[in-house]
Short mmCIF file of all heavy atoms in Angstrom, two decimals:
data_model
loop_
_atom_site.label_atom_id
_atom_site.label_comp_id
_atom_site.label_asym_id
_atom_site.label_seq_id
_atom_site.Cartn_x
_atom_site.Cartn_y
_atom_site.Cartn_z
N GLY M 142 59.61 25.11 -14.38
CA GLY M 142 61.03 25.58 -14.23
C GLY M 142 61.09 27.17 -14.15
O GLY M 142 61.84 27.77 -13.55
N ALA M 143 60.11 27.78 -14.79
CA ALA M 143 60.08 29.30 -14.79
C ALA M 143 59.81 29.77 -13.33
O ALA M 143 60.12 30.89 -12.99
CB ALA M 143 58.92 29.82 -15.65
N TYR M 144 59.26 28.94 -12.52
CA TYR M 144 58.92 29.46 -11.09
C TYR M 144 60.15 29.14 -10.20
O TYR M 144 60.25 29.43 -9.03
CB TYR M 144 57.73 28.64 -10.56
CG TYR M 144 56.46 29.15 -11.19
CD1 TYR M 144 56.00 28.80 -12.45
CD2 TYR M 144 55.71 30.19 -10.50
CE1 TYR M 144 54.94 29.33 -13.00
CE2 TYR M 144 54.56 30.74 -11.06
CZ TYR M 144 54.11 30.31 -12.34
OH TYR M 144 53.13 30.85 -12.88
N TYR M 145 61.18 28.41 -10.84
CA TYR M 145 62.45 28.05 -10.00
C TYR M 145 63.63 28.40 -10.85
O TYR M 145 64.35 27.60 -11.17
CB TYR M 145 62.33 26.61 -9.72
CG TYR M 145 61.15 26.21 -8.77
CD1 TYR M 145 60.06 25.66 -9.39
CD2 TYR M 145 61.20 26.28 -7.38
CE1 TYR M 145 58.80 25.40 -8.68
CE2 TYR M 145 60.08 26.09 -6.65
CZ TYR M 145 58.92 25.52 -7.34
OH TYR M 145 57.78 25.30 -6.53
N PRO M 146 63.77 29.79 -11.10
CA PRO M 146 64.82 30.18 -12.07
C PRO M 146 66.15 29.72 -11.50
O PRO M 146 67.11 29.52 -12.30
CB PRO M 146 64.66 31.63 -12.03
CG PRO M 146 63.77 32.01 -10.95
CD PRO M 146 62.94 30.87 -10.58
N GLY M 147 66.33 29.67 -10.20
CA GLY M 147 67.68 29.28 -9.68
C GLY M 147 68.05 27.81 -9.91
O GLY M 147 69.19 27.37 -9.91
N MET M 148 66.93 27.07 -10.32
CA MET M 148 67.19 25.56 -10.48
C MET M 148 67.20 25.29 -12.06
O MET M 148 67.41 24.19 -12.37
CB MET M 148 66.08 24.73 -9.89
CG MET M 148 66.10 24.97 -8.34
SD MET M 148 64.68 23.95 -7.83
CE MET M 148 64.51 24.57 -6.10
N SER M 149 66.85 26.32 -12.83
CA SER M 149 66.67 26.08 -14.29
C SER M 149 67.60 27.11 -15.13
O SER M 149 66.99 27.76 -15.90
CB SER M 149 65.32 26.06 -14.70
OG SER M 149 64.68 27.28 -14.28
N THR M 150 68.78 27.24 -14.66
CA THR M 150 69.67 28.30 -15.19
C THR M 150 70.39 27.87 -16.49
O THR M 150 70.90 28.55 -17.15
CB THR M 150 70.77 28.52 -14.18
OG1 THR M 150 71.62 27.42 -14.10
CG2 THR M 150 70.25 29.03 -12.83
N ASN M 151 70.38 26.48 -16.71
CA ASN M 151 71.12 25.99 -17.75
C ASN M 151 72.67 26.13 -17.72
O ASN M 151 73.37 25.93 -18.62
CB ASN M 151 70.71 26.52 -19.21
CG ASN M 151 69.38 25.91 -19.60
OD1 ASN M 151 68.72 25.18 -18.73
ND2 ASN M 151 68.88 26.33 -20.79
N ASN M 152 72.93 26.43 -16.41
CA ASN M 152 74.55 26.57 -16.03
C ASN M 152 74.60 25.27 -15.13
O ASN M 152 74.09 25.14 -14.08
CB ASN M 152 74.75 27.78 -15.17
CG ASN M 152 76.18 27.58 -14.57
OD1 ASN M 152 76.44 26.63 -13.86
ND2 ASN M 152 76.96 28.64 -14.82
N ARG M 153 75.41 24.27 -15.68
CA ARG M 153 75.47 22.89 -15.06
C ARG M 153 75.68 23.10 -13.53
O ARG M 153 75.04 22.49 -12.75
CB ARG M 153 76.48 22.04 -15.74
CG ARG M 153 75.99 21.47 -17.10
CD ARG M 153 75.87 19.96 -16.98
NE ARG M 153 75.15 19.48 -18.07
CZ ARG M 153 75.82 18.95 -19.24
NH1 ARG M 153 77.10 18.93 -19.21
NH2 ARG M 153 75.09 18.49 -20.22
N GLU M 154 76.80 23.87 -13.20
CA GLU M 154 77.19 23.97 -11.90
C GLU M 154 76.02 24.46 -10.93
O GLU M 154 75.72 23.92 -9.87
CB GLU M 154 78.39 24.91 -11.73
CG GLU M 154 79.44 24.61 -10.69
CD GLU M 154 80.67 25.50 -10.83
OE1 GLU M 154 81.12 25.71 -11.94
OE2 GLU M 154 80.95 26.05 -9.79
#
Side-chain angles (χ1 to χ4, degrees):
Y144 287 81
Y145 300 94
M148 300 179 192
S149 51
T150 64
N151 287 1
N152 169 307
R153 282 249 169 96
E154 213 176 310

